[in-house]
PDB file of all heavy atoms in Angstrom:
ATOM      1  N   VAL A 210      -6.948  20.668  42.684  1.00  0.00           N
ATOM      2  CA  VAL A 210      -6.265  20.192  41.417  1.00  0.00           C
ATOM      3  C   VAL A 210      -7.334  20.134  40.378  1.00  0.00           C
ATOM      4  O   VAL A 210      -8.413  19.597  40.634  1.00  0.00           O
ATOM      5  CB  VAL A 210      -5.566  18.901  41.638  1.00  0.00           C
ATOM      6  CG1 VAL A 210      -6.450  17.742  42.117  1.00  0.00           C
ATOM      7  CG2 VAL A 210      -4.828  18.480  40.287  1.00  0.00           C
ATOM      8  N   GLU A 211      -6.981  20.440  39.194  1.00  0.00           N
ATOM      9  CA  GLU A 211      -7.867  20.282  38.012  1.00  0.00           C
ATOM     10  C   GLU A 211      -7.099  19.715  36.795  1.00  0.00           C
ATOM     11  O   GLU A 211      -5.880  19.942  36.718  1.00  0.00           O
ATOM     12  CB  GLU A 211      -8.546  21.647  37.601  1.00  0.00           C
ATOM     13  CG  GLU A 211      -9.766  21.964  38.512  1.00  0.00           C
ATOM     14  CD  GLU A 211     -10.838  20.830  38.456  1.00  0.00           C
ATOM     15  OE1 GLU A 211     -10.843  20.074  37.489  1.00  0.00           O
ATOM     16  OE2 GLU A 211     -11.702  20.838  39.313  1.00  0.00           O
ATOM     17  N   ASP A 212      -7.805  19.161  35.973  1.00  0.00           N
ATOM     18  CA  ASP A 212      -7.190  18.453  34.779  1.00  0.00           C
ATOM     19  C   ASP A 212      -7.723  19.100  33.438  1.00  0.00           C
ATOM     20  O   ASP A 212      -7.326  18.539  32.412  1.00  0.00           O
ATOM     21  CB  ASP A 212      -7.341  16.971  34.809  1.00  0.00           C
ATOM     22  CG  ASP A 212      -8.823  16.597  34.728  1.00  0.00           C
ATOM     23  OD1 ASP A 212      -9.680  17.272  35.247  1.00  0.00           O
ATOM     24  OD2 ASP A 212      -9.132  15.453  34.173  1.00  0.00           O
ATOM     25  N   ASN A 213      -8.645  19.995  33.530  1.00  0.00           N
ATOM     26  CA  ASN A 213      -9.179  20.620  32.305  1.00  0.00           C
ATOM     27  C   ASN A 213      -9.801  21.891  32.588  1.00  0.00           C
ATOM     28  O   ASN A 213     -10.269  22.194  33.704  1.00  0.00           O
ATOM     29  CB  ASN A 213     -10.094  19.527  31.543  1.00  0.00           C
ATOM     30  CG  ASN A 213     -11.383  19.437  32.451  1.00  0.00           C
ATOM     31  OD1 ASN A 213     -12.321  20.156  32.428  1.00  0.00           O
ATOM     32  ND2 ASN A 213     -11.453  18.223  33.142  1.00  0.00           N
ATOM     33  N   ASP A 214      -9.936  22.717  31.588  1.00  0.00           N
ATOM     34  CA  ASP A 214     -10.506  24.053  31.754  1.00  0.00           C
ATOM     35  C   ASP A 214     -12.016  24.034  32.054  1.00  0.00           C
ATOM     36  O   ASP A 214     -12.464  24.946  32.799  1.00  0.00           O
ATOM     37  CB  ASP A 214     -10.302  24.898  30.440  1.00  0.00           C
ATOM     38  CG  ASP A 214      -8.848  25.206  30.179  1.00  0.00           C
ATOM     39  OD1 ASP A 214      -7.991  25.131  31.126  1.00  0.00           O
ATOM     40  OD2 ASP A 214      -8.496  25.488  29.015  1.00  0.00           O
ATOM     41  N   GLY A 215     -12.738  23.079  31.567  1.00  0.00           N
ATOM     42  CA  GLY A 215     -14.160  23.069  31.767  1.00  0.00           C
ATOM     43  C   GLY A 215     -14.442  22.812  33.255  1.00  0.00           C
ATOM     44  O   GLY A 215     -15.329  23.549  33.851  1.00  0.00           O
ATOM     45  N   SER A 216     -13.857  21.901  33.880  1.00  0.00           N
ATOM     46  CA  SER A 216     -14.076  21.583  35.308  1.00  0.00           C
ATOM     47  C   SER A 216     -13.594  22.735  36.132  1.00  0.00           C
ATOM     48  O   SER A 216     -14.265  23.125  37.138  1.00  0.00           O
ATOM     49  CB  SER A 216     -13.370  20.252  35.672  1.00  0.00           C
ATOM     50  OG  SER A 216     -13.635  19.969  37.017  1.00  0.00           O
ATOM     51  N   ALA A 217     -12.487  23.300  35.749  1.00  0.00           N
ATOM     52  CA  ALA A 217     -11.962  24.417  36.489  1.00  0.00           C
ATOM     53  C   ALA A 217     -12.910  25.726  36.489  1.00  0.00           C
ATOM     54  O   ALA A 217     -13.171  26.366  37.421  1.00  0.00           O
ATOM     55  CB  ALA A 217     -10.571  24.870  35.960  1.00  0.00           C
ATOM     56  N   ALA A 218     -13.562  25.917  35.325  1.00  0.00           N
ATOM     57  CA  ALA A 218     -14.479  26.931  35.230  1.00  0.00           C
ATOM     58  C   ALA A 218     -15.723  26.753  36.031  1.00  0.00           C
ATOM     59  O   ALA A 218     -16.220  27.644  36.719  1.00  0.00           O
ATOM     60  CB  ALA A 218     -14.978  27.050  33.669  1.00  0.00           C
ATOM     61  N   LEU A 219     -16.202  25.531  36.127  1.00  0.00           N
ATOM     62  CA  LEU A 219     -17.378  25.168  37.012  1.00  0.00           C
ATOM     63  C   LEU A 219     -16.993  25.464  38.486  1.00  0.00           C
ATOM     64  O   LEU A 219     -17.802  26.039  39.176  1.00  0.00           O
ATOM     65  CB  LEU A 219     -17.783  23.706  36.903  1.00  0.00           C
ATOM     66  CG  LEU A 219     -18.656  23.376  35.652  1.00  0.00           C
ATOM     67  CD1 LEU A 219     -18.860  21.860  35.687  1.00  0.00           C
ATOM     68  CD2 LEU A 219     -19.913  24.138  35.637  1.00  0.00           C
ATOM     69  N   LEU A 220     -15.746  25.042  38.897  1.00  0.00           N
ATOM     70  CA  LEU A 220     -15.331  25.270  40.167  1.00  0.00           C
ATOM     71  C   LEU A 220     -15.209  26.751  40.563  1.00  0.00           C
ATOM     72  O   LEU A 220     -15.663  27.293  41.602  1.00  0.00           O
ATOM     73  CB  LEU A 220     -14.044  24.581  40.491  1.00  0.00           C
ATOM     74  CG  LEU A 220     -13.397  24.732  41.852  1.00  0.00           C
ATOM     75  CD1 LEU A 220     -14.298  24.333  42.980  1.00  0.00           C
ATOM     76  CD2 LEU A 220     -12.031  23.992  41.898  1.00  0.00           C
ATOM     77  N   ARG A 221     -14.587  27.479  39.679  1.00  0.00           N
ATOM     78  CA  ARG A 221     -14.444  28.940  39.924  1.00  0.00           C
ATOM     79  C   ARG A 221     -15.742  29.722  39.949  1.00  0.00           C
ATOM     80  O   ARG A 221     -15.964  30.562  40.790  1.00  0.00           O
ATOM     81  CB  ARG A 221     -13.556  29.544  38.812  1.00  0.00           C
ATOM     82  CG  ARG A 221     -12.003  29.108  38.865  1.00  0.00           C
ATOM     83  CD  ARG A 221     -11.170  29.946  38.013  1.00  0.00           C
ATOM     84  NE  ARG A 221      -9.783  29.594  38.081  1.00  0.00           N
ATOM     85  CZ  ARG A 221      -9.142  28.837  37.194  1.00  0.00           C
ATOM     86  NH1 ARG A 221      -9.838  28.337  36.132  1.00  0.00           N
ATOM     87  NH2 ARG A 221      -7.871  28.519  37.331  1.00  0.00           N
ATOM     88  N   GLN A 222     -16.667  29.303  39.061  1.00  0.00           N
ATOM     89  CA  GLN A 222     -18.004  29.934  38.987  1.00  0.00           C
ATOM     90  C   GLN A 222     -18.795  29.671  40.315  1.00  0.00           C
ATOM     91  O   GLN A 222     -19.360  30.587  40.936  1.00  0.00           O
ATOM     92  CB  GLN A 222     -18.773  29.455  37.833  1.00  0.00           C
ATOM     93  CG  GLN A 222     -18.237  29.935  36.461  1.00  0.00           C
ATOM     94  CD  GLN A 222     -18.844  29.253  35.275  1.00  0.00           C
ATOM     95  OE1 GLN A 222     -19.769  28.385  35.480  1.00  0.00           O
ATOM     96  NE2 GLN A 222     -18.350  29.523  34.130  1.00  0.00           N
ATOM     97  N   HIS A 223     -18.676  28.429  40.801  1.00  0.00           N
ATOM     98  CA  HIS A 223     -19.371  28.042  42.023  1.00  0.00           C
ATOM     99  C   HIS A 223     -18.826  28.739  43.204  1.00  0.00           C
ATOM    100  O   HIS A 223     -19.564  29.201  44.063  1.00  0.00           O
ATOM    101  CB  HIS A 223     -19.240  26.500  42.248  1.00  0.00           C
ATOM    102  CG  HIS A 223     -19.962  26.008  43.446  1.00  0.00           C
ATOM    103  ND1 HIS A 223     -21.328  26.026  43.629  1.00  0.00           N
ATOM    104  CD2 HIS A 223     -19.419  25.450  44.566  1.00  0.00           C
ATOM    105  CE1 HIS A 223     -21.557  25.515  44.816  1.00  0.00           C
ATOM    106  NE2 HIS A 223     -20.503  25.170  45.430  1.00  0.00           N
ATOM    107  N   ALA A 224     -17.476  28.858  43.335  1.00  0.00           N
ATOM    108  CA  ALA A 224     -16.837  29.551  44.419  1.00  0.00           C
ATOM    109  C   ALA A 224     -17.173  30.965  44.380  1.00  0.00           C
ATOM    110  O   ALA A 224     -17.435  31.641  45.419  1.00  0.00           O
ATOM    111  CB  ALA A 224     -15.357  29.225  44.433  1.00  0.00           C
ATOM    112  N   ALA A 225     -17.186  31.620  43.165  1.00  0.00           N
ATOM    113  CA  ALA A 225     -17.404  33.058  43.089  1.00  0.00           C
ATOM    114  C   ALA A 225     -18.825  33.378  43.550  1.00  0.00           C
ATOM    115  O   ALA A 225     -19.031  34.385  44.153  1.00  0.00           O
ATOM    116  CB  ALA A 225     -17.210  33.498  41.644  1.00  0.00           C
ATOM    117  N   ARG A 226     -19.768  32.521  43.229  1.00  0.00           N
ATOM    118  CA  ARG A 226     -21.152  32.759  43.651  1.00  0.00           C
ATOM    119  C   ARG A 226     -21.263  32.761  45.181  1.00  0.00           C
ATOM    120  O   ARG A 226     -22.093  33.391  45.791  1.00  0.00           O
ATOM    121  CB  ARG A 226     -22.112  31.723  43.054  1.00  0.00           C
ATOM    122  CG  ARG A 226     -22.432  31.941  41.595  1.00  0.00           C
ATOM    123  CD  ARG A 226     -23.633  31.074  41.134  1.00  0.00           C
ATOM    124  NE  ARG A 226     -23.375  29.715  41.299  1.00  0.00           N
ATOM    125  CZ  ARG A 226     -22.854  28.899  40.357  1.00  0.00           C
ATOM    126  NH1 ARG A 226     -22.608  29.458  39.155  1.00  0.00           N
ATOM    127  NH2 ARG A 226     -22.776  27.576  40.557  1.00  0.00           N
ATOM    128  N   ALA A 227     -20.389  31.996  45.837  1.00  0.00           N
ATOM    129  CA  ALA A 227     -20.356  31.862  47.340  1.00  0.00           C
ATOM    130  C   ALA A 227     -19.435  32.941  47.912  1.00  0.00           C
ATOM    131  O   ALA A 227     -19.373  33.006  49.161  1.00  0.00           O
ATOM    132  CB  ALA A 227     -19.893  30.475  47.688  1.00  0.00           C
ATOM    133  N   GLY A 228     -18.837  33.787  47.089  1.00  0.00           N
ATOM    134  CA  GLY A 228     -18.010  34.963  47.596  1.00  0.00           C
ATOM    135  C   GLY A 228     -16.652  34.459  47.991  1.00  0.00           C
ATOM    136  O   GLY A 228     -15.960  35.173  48.799  1.00  0.00           O
ATOM    137  N   VAL A 229     -16.134  33.322  47.547  1.00  0.00           N
ATOM    138  CA  VAL A 229     -14.759  32.853  47.875  1.00  0.00           C
ATOM    139  C   VAL A 229     -14.061  32.576  46.621  1.00  0.00           C
ATOM    140  O   VAL A 229     -14.616  32.532  45.500  1.00  0.00           O
ATOM    141  CB  VAL A 229     -14.781  31.609  48.769  1.00  0.00           C
ATOM    142  CG1 VAL A 229     -15.373  32.013  50.176  1.00  0.00           C
ATOM    143  CG2 VAL A 229     -15.495  30.427  48.160  1.00  0.00           C
ATOM    144  N   THR A 230     -12.748  32.275  46.727  1.00  0.00           N
ATOM    145  CA  THR A 230     -11.883  31.881  45.583  1.00  0.00           C
ATOM    146  C   THR A 230     -11.392  30.501  45.738  1.00  0.00           C
ATOM    147  O   THR A 230     -10.933  30.124  46.824  1.00  0.00           O
ATOM    148  CB  THR A 230     -10.775  32.815  45.381  1.00  0.00           C
ATOM    149  OG1 THR A 230     -11.264  34.224  45.176  1.00  0.00           O
ATOM    150  CG2 THR A 230      -9.873  32.469  44.227  1.00  0.00           C
ATOM    151  N   ALA A 231     -11.515  29.661  44.829  1.00  0.00           N
ATOM    152  CA  ALA A 231     -10.940  28.219  44.849  1.00  0.00           C
ATOM    153  C   ALA A 231      -9.514  28.348  44.402  1.00  0.00           C
ATOM    154  O   ALA A 231      -9.193  28.888  43.238  1.00  0.00           O
ATOM    155  CB  ALA A 231     -11.714  27.312  43.933  1.00  0.00           C
ATOM    156  N   ARG A 232      -8.588  27.948  45.212  1.00  0.00           N
ATOM    157  CA  ARG A 232      -7.174  27.908  44.911  1.00  0.00           C
ATOM    158  C   ARG A 232      -6.779  26.732  44.079  1.00  0.00           C
ATOM    159  O   ARG A 232      -6.445  25.617  44.601  1.00  0.00           O
ATOM    160  CB  ARG A 232      -6.341  27.947  46.266  1.00  0.00           C
ATOM    161  CG  ARG A 232      -6.489  29.217  47.014  1.00  0.00           C
ATOM    162  CD  ARG A 232      -5.845  29.098  48.374  1.00  0.00           C
ATOM    163  NE  ARG A 232      -4.617  28.278  48.290  1.00  0.00           N
ATOM    164  CZ  ARG A 232      -4.124  27.478  49.262  1.00  0.00           C
ATOM    165  NH1 ARG A 232      -4.824  27.431  50.464  1.00  0.00           N
ATOM    166  NH2 ARG A 232      -3.082  26.826  49.136  1.00  0.00           N
ATOM    167  N   ILE A 233      -6.834  26.809  42.744  1.00  0.00           N
ATOM    168  CA  ILE A 233      -6.453  25.748  41.887  1.00  0.00           C
ATOM    169  C   ILE A 233      -4.966  25.829  41.667  1.00  0.00           C
ATOM    170  O   ILE A 233      -4.502  26.438  40.691  1.00  0.00           O
ATOM    171  CB  ILE A 233      -7.244  25.779  40.602  1.00  0.00           C
ATOM    172  CG1 ILE A 233      -8.739  25.837  40.866  1.00  0.00           C
ATOM    173  CG2 ILE A 233      -6.904  24.597  39.701  1.00  0.00           C
ATOM    174  CD1 ILE A 233      -9.571  26.000  39.620  1.00  0.00           C
ATOM    175  N   ASP A 234      -4.146  25.289  42.614  1.00  0.00           N
ATOM    176  CA  ASP A 234      -2.728  25.428  42.570  1.00  0.00           C
ATOM    177  C   ASP A 234      -2.045  24.371  41.824  1.00  0.00           C
ATOM    178  O   ASP A 234      -0.842  24.446  41.473  1.00  0.00           O
ATOM    179  CB  ASP A 234      -2.205  25.461  44.005  1.00  0.00           C
ATOM    180  CG  ASP A 234      -2.590  26.746  44.785  1.00  0.00           C
ATOM    181  OD1 ASP A 234      -2.984  27.709  44.036  1.00  0.00           O
ATOM    182  OD2 ASP A 234      -2.567  26.724  46.006  1.00  0.00           O
ATOM    183  N   LEU A 235      -2.734  23.231  41.564  1.00  0.00           N
ATOM    184  CA  LEU A 235      -2.149  22.036  40.881  1.00  0.00           C
ATOM    185  C   LEU A 235      -2.907  21.766  39.626  1.00  0.00           C
ATOM    186  O   LEU A 235      -4.153  21.918  39.581  1.00  0.00           O
ATOM    187  CB  LEU A 235      -2.101  20.883  41.796  1.00  0.00           C
ATOM    188  CG  LEU A 235      -1.241  20.995  43.108  1.00  0.00           C
ATOM    189  CD1 LEU A 235      -1.345  19.716  43.923  1.00  0.00           C
ATOM    190  CD2 LEU A 235       0.241  21.186  42.703  1.00  0.00           C
ATOM    191  N   THR A 236      -2.221  21.185  38.641  1.00  0.00           N
ATOM    192  CA  THR A 236      -2.810  20.788  37.392  1.00  0.00           C
ATOM    193  C   THR A 236      -2.407  19.396  37.027  1.00  0.00           C
ATOM    194  O   THR A 236      -1.179  19.104  37.140  1.00  0.00           O
ATOM    195  CB  THR A 236      -2.419  21.781  36.257  1.00  0.00           C
ATOM    196  OG1 THR A 236      -2.743  23.100  36.535  1.00  0.00           O
ATOM    197  CG2 THR A 236      -3.065  21.359  34.951  1.00  0.00           C
ATOM    198  N   ALA A 237      -3.314  18.595  36.719  1.00  0.00           N
ATOM    199  CA  ALA A 237      -3.043  17.184  36.362  1.00  0.00           C
ATOM    200  C   ALA A 237      -3.201  16.987  34.890  1.00  0.00           C
ATOM    201  O   ALA A 237      -4.010  17.731  34.172  1.00  0.00           O
ATOM    202  CB  ALA A 237      -3.906  16.292  37.078  1.00  0.00           C
ATOM    203  N   ALA A 238      -2.496  16.034  34.242  1.00  0.00           N
ATOM    204  CA  ALA A 238      -2.561  15.794  32.837  1.00  0.00           C
ATOM    205  C   ALA A 238      -3.917  15.167  32.396  1.00  0.00           C
ATOM    206  O   ALA A 238      -4.414  15.401  31.327  1.00  0.00           O
ATOM    207  CB  ALA A 238      -1.434  14.961  32.338  1.00  0.00           C
TER     208      ALA A 238
END
Side-chain angles (χ1 to χ4, degrees):
V210 57
E211 278 303 341
D212 62 328
N213 65 80
D214 292 339
S216 183
L219 281 179
L220 175 57
R221 289 192 178 100
Q222 292 167 6
H223 179 69
R226 286 194 298 268
V229 296
T230 301
R232 292 173 36 211
I233 306 176
D234 292 341
L235 295 176
T236 301

